[in-house]
Amino acid sequence: MIDKVPENKVSFKYSFKVTLNDIDALGHVNNVAYLAWTQMVANMHWEKLASDELKKNVQWFVLRHEVDYVQQAFNNDTITIYTWIEDVKGARSNRVFRIYREDELLVKCKTTWCLIDAETLKPKRIDNELADLFIV
């Protein structure tokens, strides 16, 4: 059963097939591949919502990953990743991911990101205008 995306969140979904490049010596998707996928999908979500000016002025930096591996994925599985911003506080935001094979939950992940000024590379408070892109 797919976890429901909270109604007040702007979610993003992306589906793809697992390739042999994602498989480790144990014959299943390597744990590092899941993190690479979450970063890829987070970037896709950002690219979809942020203006060119915003992308030029700020960047995101990962501070922390929390990952729960529930089930394994294998070559040629069709994977769907759902993501949304759970909350924002100061310069930080928590992004949630749910990774599925069809209706089967494979991975739960939460990543804490820090917004930084692209010029100074210092943390920058997430203002209401930016937060409103992700939280209705």
Side-chain angles (χ1 to χ4, degrees):
M1 183 73 159
I2 295 177
D3 291 348
K4 288 191 174 183
V5 176
E7 289 184 16
N8 66 332
K9 308 300 181 189
V10 178
S11 66
F12 183 79
K13 174 176 107 168
Y14 180 69
S15 296
F16 59 95
K17 285 242 188 221
V18 174
T19 69
L20 285 174
N21 291 334
D22 302 313
I23 304 301
D24 64 16
L26 298 174
H28 60 76
V29 171
N30 187 294
N31 292 359
V32 175
Y34 293 104
L35 287 177
W37 295 344
T38 61
Q39 186 161 352
M40 173 187 72
V41 170
N43 287 334
M44 292 169 76
H45 192 196
W46 173 248
E47 288 293 321
K48 178 181 176 190
L49 294 178
S51 68
D52 289 340
E53 182 178 347
L54 194 54
K55 290 182 232 178
K56 183 179 112 184
N57 293 326
V58 296
Q59 297 176 5
W60 293 99
F61 183 84
V62 173
L63 298 175
R64 183 169 197 265
H65 293 291
E66 295 176 47
V67 184
D68 294 321
Y69 299 99
V70 179
Q71 294 290 332
Q72 299 173 22
F74 302 94
N75 189 43
N76 285 325
D77 283 351
T78 298
I79 301 297
T80 301
I81 301 178
Y82 297 84
T83 187
W84 61 92
I85 302 299
E86 183 176 64
D87 56 28
V88 297
K89 184 175 181 181
R92 294 179 180 212
S93 72
N94 289 304
R95 178 179 282 277
V96 175
F97 300 89
R98 295 294 183 263
I99 302 177
Y100 289 87
R101 175 183 49 233
E102 297 180 13
D103 288 344
E104 183 178 19
L105 178 64
L106 303 177
V107 174
K108 293 181 186 181
C109 181
K110 183 188 287 189
T111 301
T112 302
W113 296 78
C114 180
L115 184 69
I116 59 174
D117 183 285
E119 187 175 316
T120 66
L121 301 181
K122 294 190 182 213
K124 179 177 174 69
R125 177 174 284 286
I126 299 168
D127 61 24
N128 289 339
E129 182 180 344
L130 177 53
D132 288 347
L133 290 176
F134 298 100
I135 301 171
V136 179

